[in-house]
Amino acid sequence: MPTALITGATAGIGAAFARRLAADACSLVLVARDERRLVQAADQLRLRYGVDVEVLPADLATEEGLARVESRLRDGVDLLVNNAGFGHPGDFLKVPVEDELRMLKVHCEAVLRLTLAALPAMRKRDRGAVINVASVAAFFSRGTYSASKAWVVNFSESAANDVRNPRIKIMALCPGFVRTEFHQRASMDTSGIPGFLWLKADNVVRDALRDLALGKRVSVPDLRYKVIVAIGKLVPHNLAGRVSARLGRR
């Protein structure tokens, strides 16, 4: 059975990846900070799908947590899903610098280090894939969150260029608003987001795996967001940023 390691695996997009990959008979390595939720998620997946599930509690904002996951990746996996992430309420000038640095640690340093840890075994076997979960926000200006996700997109494309192997795929996944715990955990007010902009996590994962199989390096799930990204490239950059900020948070 192929093995997939998923960070941020207990909720939202990460949990949707776990369900879909388990249904496809993949063995799983689930990574998250909350060990209790990890164990519960693993038990449910084993019971429902009959697959092997390993739990790996780790906080990717810490050196110890990153090192634990790096060590596991060096043993080899077929698919790495860098999904762990979070957002901040309020704008850039109101967020403590320590919180901003923690975001960069998880969104950028962790993605870099875990990708680098996974690639040697993939190159040795001449197969494998990495999905780095970014965001549609990567294409707009909206604080440190969008800046970090823009880095994820650029890094993923650059890494794919450097690997130069069609059997080893690296893709940035850029979903729009998805109904998960993300906004609640960040204490964000989402009442201003139109209902038609919300996506389901399971549909995002379905589109992501399809685009990965097609060899795409950047995946924007759902036609609605493909249109939004296309329009965003045509309107003045400052205007697009203001609209994005208004939709994303108050």
Side-chain angles (χ1 to χ4, degrees), residues 11-127:
I13 294 174
F17 266 111
R19 291 191 298 271
R20 171 58 188 271
L21 293 169
D24 290 343
C26 287
S27 298
L28 302 176
V29 183
L30 306 183
V31 178
R33 291 181 298 168
D34 190 330
E35 185 172 4
R36 180 184 62 82
R37 291 188 70 180
L38 272 177
V39 171
Q40 289 178 345
D43 288 343
Q44 292 170 0
L45 291 165
R46 292 188 193 104
L47 180 63
R48 181 172 181 180
Y49 300 104
V51 297
D52 293 331
V53 185
E54 176 184 344
V55 297
L56 183 56
D59 183 351
L60 299 182
T62 68
E63 185 62 31
E64 179 185 5
L66 272 174
R68 291 189 68 195
V69 184
E70 284 177 310
S71 177
R72 176 60 184 84
L73 287 169
R74 291 189 187 104
D75 291 336
V77 299
D78 299 281
L79 171 64
L80 165 63
V81 181
N82 278 314
N83 169 72
F86 59 93
H88 294 313
D91 56 35
F92 168 66
L93 294 176
K94 297 178 181 178
V95 178
V97 67
E98 294 81 5
D99 292 344
E100 295 284 19
L101 291 172
R102 182 170 175 268
M103 174 178 284
L104 293 177
K105 182 90 170 179
V106 174
H107 289 187
C108 299
E109 182 179 342
V111 169
L112 169 68
R113 289 175 56 175
L114 299 188
T115 300
L116 287 173
L119 282 175
M122 292 180 182
R123 296 181 73 180
K124 184 176 181 180
R125 294 195 308 272
D126 194 37
R127 61 180 171 81

Side-chain angles (χ1 to χ4, degrees), residues 208-244:
L209 293 176
R210 178 202 63 203
D211 287 346
L212 184 70
L214 291 172
K216 293 187 178 182
R217 295 183 176 181
V218 178
S219 170
V220 179
D222 196 271
L223 179 60
R224 287 166 286 183
Y225 281 100
K226 287 180 172 63
V227 171
I228 288 171
V229 171
I231 293 174
K233 294 178 180 179
L234 299 176
V235 303
H237 194 65
N238 289 342
L239 175 60
R242 288 197 297 271
V243 172
S244 175

